[in-house]
């Protein structure tokens, strides 16, 4: 919508002018308003009488009091964007592509690392053995089963899976059940050569056995085996000694003590006792002897061959 502009004379430069500002020097004419507070400007004034804003100052949107729009940023020749803007636009797609490529490389490298023998780490969801994978007795059903050297999961009852084949809820397990499951997992990692995973779960398994109020000889031997395969020989020797104090002829404790003894002469003495005690001890048919029959068989074979 247009309005009629009355010609007048600029009070500053004397040039003929019309509208709200002088087209020659920018001095405000009748009807001009301050961009700072919106008050009417006195014709010829250089500053607003109300807020002090200079006549000709740019507003926040880049518009001056003369009504002319100032460019916020200079453009290059022919209306092209400035050099800095062009440079930013040039590297941005390449930067995004490089980040995506690095993510793919990291993913592939991680998969290859987990696939290597001895380099497979289980995730938190597998913190406890899963049904059908780590149940006791699994080693008996596998090739070699009970004859596998030092098979850690030989014999014993299985915990089984929940309804529909799902793994049971570990929160409902007793301390004894949790310890047994972790023992099975550590022994499985030892058999598979997954040393890194074994060293992660071994402290968890030891802690689980420490939560049991009173350990029997079977549980102490399991704890000793965890110490043995994880390199915690102090734990392994302590369990063997504790069992032997109560049961001096316990076959599993004698075999563990022989392996943990740094003195060859002492180790041979434990082996001698093992061979001598074997007939009477095996006749007792202790549950732990049935579970760890492969351990006993191998220990006796080594003891007889070392004479």
């Amino acid at each position: 919508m247009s309005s009629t502009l009355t010609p007048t004379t600029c009070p500053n430069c004397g040039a003929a002018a019309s509208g709200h500002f002088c087209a020659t020097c920018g001095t405000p004419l009748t009807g001009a308003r301050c961009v700072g507070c919106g008050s009417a400007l006195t014709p010829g004034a250089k500053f607003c009488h109300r807020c002090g804003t200079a006549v000709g100052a740019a507003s926040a949107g880049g518009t001056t009091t003369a009504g002319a729009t100032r460019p916020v940023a200079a453009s290059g020749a022919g209306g092209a964007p400035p050099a800095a803007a062009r440079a930013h636009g040039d590297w941005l797609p390449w930067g995004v592509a490089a980040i995506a490529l690095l993510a793919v490389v990291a993913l592939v490298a991680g998969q290859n690392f987990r696939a290597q023998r001895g380099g497979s780490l289980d995730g938190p969801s597998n913190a406890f053995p899963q049904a059908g994978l780590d149940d006791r007795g699994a080693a008996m059903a596998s090739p070699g089963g009970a004859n596998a050297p030092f098979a850690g999961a030989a014999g014993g009852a299985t915990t089984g899976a929940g309804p529909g084949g799902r793994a049971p809820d570990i929160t409902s397990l007793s301390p004894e059940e949790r310890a047994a499951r972790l023992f099975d997992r550590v022994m499985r990692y030892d058999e598979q050569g997954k040393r890194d995973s074994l060293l992660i779960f071994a402290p968890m398994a030891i802690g689980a056995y420490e939560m049991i109020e009173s350990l029997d000889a079977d549980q102490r031997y399991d704890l000793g085996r965890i110490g043995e395969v994880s390199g915690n020989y102090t734990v392994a020797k302590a369990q063997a000694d504790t069992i032997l104090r109560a049961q001096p002829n316990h076959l599993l404790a004698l075999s563990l003590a022989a392996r943990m003894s740094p003195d060859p002469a002492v180790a041979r003495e434990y082996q001698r006792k093992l061979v001598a005690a074997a007939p009477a001890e095996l006749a007792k048919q202790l549950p732990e002897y049935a579970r760890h029959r492969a351990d006993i068989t191998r220990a006796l074979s080594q003891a007889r061959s070392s004479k």
Side-chain angles (χ1 to χ4, degrees):
M1 181 176 180
S2 62
S3 60
T4 302
L5 301 179
T6 303
T8 185
T9 301
C10 175
N12 181 46
C13 64
S18 63
H20 298 311
F21 295 89
C22 175
T24 301
C25 64
T27 298
L29 305 176
T30 303
R33 292 189 173 276
C34 173
V35 297
C37 63
S39 300
L41 295 174
T42 302
K46 295 183 178 181
F47 297 92
C48 175
H49 67 279
R50 182 172 182 179
C51 67
T53 299
V55 174
S59 65
T63 303
T64 65
T65 54
T69 300
R70 294 180 179 176
V72 176
S75 298
R86 289 198 304 272
H88 178 76
D90 289 343
W91 68 259
L92 183 59
W94 291 103
V96 173
I99 293 174
L101 178 61
L102 288 175
V104 172
V105 171
L107 177 62
V108 173
Q111 291 176 341
N112 291 338
F113 173 77
R114 287 192 296 271
Q116 294 174 358
R117 178 178 177 83
S120 176
L121 293 175
D122 278 10
S125 62
N126 293 326
F128 285 92
Q130 302 299 306
L133 175 64
D134 299 286
D135 291 334
R136 286 177 179 261
M140 294 292 289
S142 62
N147 296 322
F150 288 86
T158 63
T159 52
R166 295 174 298 176
D169 182 5
I170 63 174
T171 60
S172 63
L173 299 179
S174 66
E176 291 80 5
E177 290 172 327
R178 293 182 184 179
R181 287 191 167 213
L182 284 168
F183 169 79
D184 289 343
R185 170 148 292 198
V186 171
M187 292 299 104
R188 182 67 56 84
Y189 286 148
D190 182 55
E191 293 170 0
Q192 295 172 348
K194 296 181 179 180
R195 185 70 181 172
D196 46 6
S197 294
L198 184 153
L199 294 178
I200 289 175
F201 281 88
M204 296 170 56
I206 292 174
Y209 278 94
E210 290 175 346
M211 293 178 63
I212 299 176
E213 186 174 350
S214 179
L215 296 174
D216 58 25
D218 189 10
Q219 292 165 335
R220 287 195 178 278
Y221 178 73
D222 287 353
L223 179 54
R225 287 286 288 129
I226 294 171
E228 181 182 5
V229 299
S230 65
N232 194 337
Y233 301 133
T234 301
V235 168
K237 188 176 186 306
Q239 301 314 307
D241 292 344
T242 302
I243 297 172
L244 291 175
R245 279 197 295 269
Q247 300 172 259
N249 293 326
H250 196 280
L251 299 181
L252 293 172
L254 287 171
S255 66
L256 182 59
R259 295 193 301 271
M260 291 299 100
S261 178
D263 187 339
V266 175
R268 284 194 296 271
E269 179 61 20
Y270 280 123
Q271 290 177 331
R272 185 192 65 78
K273 291 181 179 179
L274 174 69
V275 174
E281 284 293 310
L282 289 175
K284 296 178 180 178
Q285 298 184 355
L286 298 178
E288 59 265 33
Y289 290 172
R291 278 191 59 228
H292 300 288
R293 180 71 185 192
D295 293 26
I296 296 173
T297 300
R298 178 171 178 173
L300 287 170
S301 176
Q302 291 178 340
R304 291 176 180 133
S305 63
S306 65
K307 289 184 178 179

